[in-house]
Amino acid sequence: MAPCYHGGVDARPPHLGLRHLALHVRAFDATRRFYVDVLGFRVEWEPDADNSYLTSGADNLALHRAREGGGARETALDHLGILVPEARDVDAWAAYLDGRGVALTSRPRTHRDGARSLYLDDPDGNRIQIIHHPPLSARPT
């Protein structure tokens, strides 16, 4: 039987599921055009020429220009994002994960666009972001 996490020291904070995916892409401009022009995503934010954040209104797809030669971690998948309803839930997850002995690769922080997140790796090395993203977190599930 799976452990129960309702209340108490082991209380698992809430989340709203997977609504964010980040990809390293080699054909950055063509990939961006494909998602916008063919699949109907719209640009939510482009902080620079190497990063584009797209949305269908219920999700977030981050495209990051792949570096020549890549890095030790650089694969097509940059990270997957687990959405939480409130900014304070990111901090609750940090405390929960700390209490379970799970190492964070990045402590909670607030981003320039108002999102708040932390990062950790799963046992297979996949990067996970727990994120409060105001436009998505406010949407009903």
Side-chain angles (χ1 to χ4, degrees), residues 32-134:
R32 182 190 171 284
R33 280 192 305 273
F34 174 80
Y35 279 99
V36 171
D37 298 341
V38 177
L39 296 183
F41 283 77
R42 65 178 166 76
V43 175
E44 182 177 43
W45 184 47
E46 289 184 312
D48 53 51
D50 294 327
N51 298 282
S52 186
Y53 296 84
L54 309 177
T55 185
S56 70
D59 53 19
N60 180 267
L61 172 62
L63 302 178
H64 304 300
R65 188 181 308 271
R67 296 171 293 165
E68 275 303 311
R73 283 199 74 259
E74 193 163 296
T75 62
L77 175 67
D78 180 66
H79 66 272
L80 59 94
I82 298 174
L83 194 68
V84 297
E86 303 288 335
R88 67 178 178 256
D89 293 327
V90 173
D91 299 283
W93 272 100
Y96 172 76
L97 294 165
D98 287 342
R100 309 272 306 179
V102 176
L104 301 183
T105 59
S106 177
R107 302 295 308 171
R109 71 178 184 93
T110 301
H111 304 268
R112 292 178 294 177
D113 65 351
R116 184 161 179 79
S117 73
L118 62 79
Y119 290 88
L120 65 142
D121 290 343
D122 73 13
D124 204 47
N126 296 300
R127 181 82 18 114
I128 299 167
Q129 179 184 38
I130 295 180
I131 183 170
H132 168 71
H133 182 66

